[in-house]
Structure formats: C-alpha cells, structure tokens
Amino acid sequence: MILLTVFYLFLAYHLPLSTNPDEVLRYKNPLFIYENGYLPSGYDKRVMLPFGNYSYAFYPQWLGALISAFFMKVVSIFSTNGHMLLFASRWTSILFGTLTVIFTGMTSKKLFRSNEAAILSASLVAFLPQLVYLSAYVNNDIIAIAGVSIMIYALVGAQVDNWSLKYTLLFSLGCICDILGYLNSIPFVFFGLVYGLFTLVMQSKNGRIESKKALVYILCGIVIVLIIVLPFFIRNHLLYKDFLGTKIFDQRYEAWIKHGGYATLFPYHGSWQQLLFRSVWFKSTLMSSIGLFGYMNVVMRPYLYALYYLLFAIGIILFCIGFRREKAFSYIKLFHLLMLIACLLTIALSLYRSKVTDFQAQGRYVMTIIPMLSIWVTSGYNLLINRLKFRLLYPLLSVGYILLGIVICYHYIYLVLV
C-alpha cells in the first residue's frame, strides 16, 4: 500500500495543471478557501470560468475542496510555491484513491475469506489506468468512488458479522463522501440504505442483535449524515434558493447565452434510439473507464483495451454462472441484485445527462460502479480457481495486472502528459 501511494504521489507531483479535465476550475475552490479561510460564492469571479458564468462553487459538494485546502495549509508551513500548493491539493485524490483500494480489498476478504482474493480485487481497482489517473489530480469523482467502496464494505461486513457501531459509522462515512463528493453516486446511497435497513430489521427479528441497539444504529447513522451534510445544502438554499445548485447554474448559463455568450453545453439532439445505438456514447464511456487521459485525447493502443475487456468479461461471466446456480435466497444474493440496479441507474443517469444537458461520454461519470465491478470479477475468478484447484492463478493474475497497469500509466500518463 505504501508503494501504491508513492506511485500516486509521483504522478500527482509531475502532472501539469492544464492537462486534466476540469482541474483548472476545480482547483479554484480549494485555492480560494486556502487564501481566504471561508467558502466562496458561486458569483465570485475568482472561482468562475471567464466564459459561461460557470462555477463549481454553486454546488454543495465541498468535501474535496475543504480537505484539499487543509492539505495546502499544512504544506504552506514549509513552502508557498504554487506547484507545491497544487500538489498538496491533489493529496485529497490520492487519499480517496487509496481508500477505494483498501476498502475494496477488505470487502473481498469478507466475502471470500481469502487474502489472495482480497489482493486481486484491490489490484483490479488500484492499477486500473483511469482510476490511477483520477487519483492523481483534483476532481470529485474519486471521492464518490471511495464513498461507494466504504459503503459496500460496511454493508457486507454488517451482514457477515452483524450490525455494530463500527459498521454504522463506516456506512455513514460512505454516504457523506458520496453526497458531498459527486451526486452521480446517489443510486448506491439509496439502494445501500434499503439493503442496510432491511438487514438491520431482519437481524433484530432473528435475535442476532437487540432491537434497542438496532434503533440506536439507525438513529445514529441518520443523525451523523444529516449533521455533516445538511449545512452545505442549507447554505446553498440561503445563497441561491437552490439546494442542489443545478437551477442556479442553468439560470447563469442562460444569462450568458442571452447576453451574447457562445454555447459551452451541447446536449444530444438525436433520439434516444440514436443515442443508444448510433452514437459513440457506449464506446467512448467504456474506453474512458479503462483509460483515456488528458482531455480524452491520449488514447491507448486498441489491443490494450481488448485485454482489459477480456479480463473483466471473463470474470463477470464466471460470476453470473455462479450466481445463477445459487438458487436459494440469501442476503448476499439480494445485496448483489441491489448493487446491480445501482450500477445500471448510475449508467442511466450519465446517459440522461448526455441527452438533456451536455453530451459527455466520459467513464469518470460512471466509475462509481468500479468497486462493485471488481468484486464481481474477483468472485468469478475465485469460482474458477476453486473449481480448478489452481491457487497459483491468483498471484499470476494480480502480478500481471499490476505490472500492466504500471507500464500503461507510466507510458500514457507520465511520458505523454508530463
């Protein structure tokens, strides 16, 4: 894990500011907080792009900016060099990227009771080129991905070991990361909550935990999330009369167009059928979930995408075969079904945004599905390895995948973008 963090730090230190999607605008918020000590208004030109009246300060998702500003303050004790402050702000992405790896591995260990499975699952996330990239520059996507991984661990751990204060706090932490990270992760929050409440009630009925404790866990989780999350949404309502920040953004953009500004948003004007079957949406989203860097202009060789597709497809197919053969109902089976719905809704939300708001066929908008996807892939290979009784396949897959990821990231991220 230390070597992984060093790898992320290496890339984060060397990446130029101007080569990463949205980072120029995202970085304005933590920089403002660092310099002024308070949250900016979306109307403040210091946190706004010079065109489109656009600012991320209109949204209540402040978790990443606040943590980045804290890291910048710490680094400023030793240096106020502009590059060092940018590097410090990227520590937030490194932190949440590393958390994603840790909790994904821990979830697999709970499910499969195997250190080898945990290592494979963690590796699938840690060295996926696009996730490595998201862990190296300022963005909110990686925060939401980490939040999903924390929630998944809490739900699986609570089912395996019974609900406790530990899993309640972790589930609340995951919800907070998602709600204050990126709202495209909301399907996981909703269905995670449904599954969590269901298992908590059933454990109470079956005598696995006391009813009073179950009630305490529910209240504790709700109160913690509301105390931390609500102030940011209330602030948004007081400033803009808009809890989510989407309406004020639309109003400001419409005003920009009305006063002669050029369009910066381009919704898909074809039909839904054309979007689904004739556009490049699925191809572009799939490729950029594996690895499209810079402003999606740094493309890997086709055979590399094919290799990743094959690796993941085999694991998913094997998982589906094993899942289909399990005819008896189980709570874990229900968990997988609910998480599948959350994954599909996440993809649907990205599709809807491309159709209605702006055509953005980017994998980072659906990458909250990656922790769950890696667990399903690991489950499939675990089934194959147990059937073949060939345990050596675990280290072969893990080491091969790690080396492939390092070589790709060094060649396509470091050598090309730096």
Side-chain angles (χ1 to χ4, degrees):
M1 194 55 63
I2 294 174
L3 292 176
L4 174 67
T5 305
V6 169
F7 181 53
Y8 288 171
L9 284 167
F10 173 80
L11 292 175
Y13 180 80
H14 287 95
L15 277 177
L17 175 64
S18 59
T19 59
N20 315 303
D22 289 343
E23 187 178 32
V24 171
L25 187 56
R26 285 281 180 200
Y27 181 55
K28 288 177 181 287
N29 284 345
L31 182 61
F32 183 97
I33 299 170
Y34 161 75
E35 292 176 341
N36 299 279
Y38 60 89
L39 301 184
S41 162
Y43 298 116
D44 195 313
K45 293 189 181 298
R46 289 172 290 181
V47 293
M48 189 179 290
L49 278 183
F51 52 85
N53 289 344
Y54 187 76
S55 171
Y56 284 124
F58 283 127
Y59 298 121
Q61 282 70 45
W62 284 102
L63 181 61
L66 287 168
I67 296 175
S68 288
F70 169 75
F71 286 142
M72 293 165 74
K73 281 291 184 183
V74 172
V75 168
S76 69
I77 298 172
F78 307 97
S79 172
T80 56
N81 174 274
H83 178 71
M84 288 305 299
L85 291 177
L86 172 64
F87 178 46
S89 71
R90 290 171 171 172
W91 292 0
T92 301
S93 297
I94 295 168
L95 170 65
F96 283 100
T98 305
L99 286 175
T100 301
V101 175
I102 291 171
F103 279 99
T104 302
M106 289 169 61
T107 302
S108 287
K109 188 171 182 179
K110 284 283 183 188
L111 281 172
F112 311 121
R113 303 184 185 280
S114 165
N115 288 327
E116 296 160 310
I119 291 171
L120 176 60
S121 185
S123 300
L124 290 172
V125 172
F127 293 95
L128 182 68
Q130 193 66 36
L131 194 127
V132 173
Y133 187 45
L134 288 174
S135 300
Y137 72 90
V138 178
N139 66 91
N140 276 20
D141 307 273
I142 194 65
I143 298 172
I145 297 169
V148 170
S149 71
I150 296 169
M151 283 177 51
I152 289 171
Y153 172 73
L155 292 172
V156 171
Q159 176 54 36
V160 173
D161 301 330
N162 294 341
W163 277 97
S164 64
L165 185 60
K166 168 190 169 182
Y167 291 121
T168 301
L169 293 176
L170 284 172
F171 183 77
S172 299
L173 176 62
C175 288
I176 291 166
C177 290
D178 285 331
I179 297 170
L180 295 182
Y182 218 124
L183 286 182
N184 60 359
S185 58
I186 284 300
F188 287 96
V189 175
F190 177 77
F191 286 101
L193 185 61
V194 168
Y195 181 76
L197 289 173
F198 173 76
T199 53
L200 194 57
V201 170
M202 293 307 296
Q203 286 179 14
S204 175
K205 283 187 176 182
N206 296 335
R208 290 175 61 179
I209 58 172
E210 297 176 9
S211 297
K212 289 183 179 179
K213 282 188 176 181
L215 183 60
V216 168
Y217 296 151
I218 292 173
L219 293 176
C220 182
I222 292 173
V223 168
I224 289 172
V225 172
L226 291 180
I227 286 176
I228 296 177
V229 164
L230 267 186
F232 296 101
F233 287 86
I234 292 172
R235 174 183 181 271
N236 243 51
H237 179 69
L238 294 175
L239 286 176
Y240 319 117
K241 298 295 184 285
D242 182 8
F243 283 107
L244 299 180
T246 53
K247 291 180 182 178
I248 184 63
F249 165 71
D250 290 340
Q251 291 171 8
R252 297 292 292 173
Y253 180 68
E254 288 169 6
W256 161 260
I257 297 295
K258 184 178 179 181
H259 289 87
Y262 57 87
T264 58
L265 298 179
F266 302 94
Y268 188 79
H269 293 296
S271 66
W272 279 104
Q273 184 179 1
Q274 289 172 324
L275 174 61
L276 291 171
F277 302 109
R278 297 182 187 177
S279 76
V280 299
W281 193 91
F282 280 105
K283 179 182 178 181
S284 179
T285 298
L286 192 58
M287 287 177 64
S288 55
S289 295
I290 301 298
L292 276 179
F293 315 111
Y295 288 95
M296 294 185 68
N297 60 331
V298 180
V299 186
M300 301 190 308
R301 293 292 181 92
Y303 72 87
L304 292 173
Y305 292 105
L307 189 58
Y308 279 99
Y309 297 155
L310 182 63
L311 178 70
F312 278 80
I314 290 173
I316 292 294
I317 291 170
L318 290 171
F319 166 75
C320 291
I321 292 172
F323 187 83
R324 190 167 177 268
R325 288 177 177 174
E326 291 181 19
K327 295 183 179 180
F329 170 81
S330 69
Y331 293 139
I332 293 297
K333 196 169 186 178
L334 175 63
F335 166 76
H336 286 303
L337 288 171
L338 290 177
M339 291 301 102
L340 174 61
I341 296 173
C343 289
L344 294 175
L345 281 177
T346 299
I347 296 170
L349 284 174
S350 183
L351 264 169
Y352 179 80
R353 183 176 184 273
S354 287
K355 179 71 172 71
V356 176
T357 305
D358 190 26
F359 187 80
Q360 293 281 353
Q362 297 191 41
R364 61 195 179 102
Y365 296 132
V366 302
M367 283 194 68
T368 46
I369 75 174
I370 290 298
M372 202 63 237
L373 197 66
S374 73
I375 290 168
W376 289 333
V377 171
T378 301
S379 178
Y381 282 109
N382 183 64
L383 182 69
L384 177 66
I385 290 168
N386 288 337
R387 181 64 60 90
L388 298 177
K389 296 181 180 180
F390 184 51
R391 306 300 296 182
L392 187 60
L393 186 57
Y394 263 131
L396 288 175
L397 281 171
S398 298
V399 172
Y401 185 88
I402 290 170
L403 291 176
L404 178 64
I406 291 173
V407 170
I408 288 174
C409 292
Y410 181 77
H411 180 77
Y412 288 99
I413 299 177
Y414 179 74
L415 292 182
V416 175
L417 295 182
V418 177

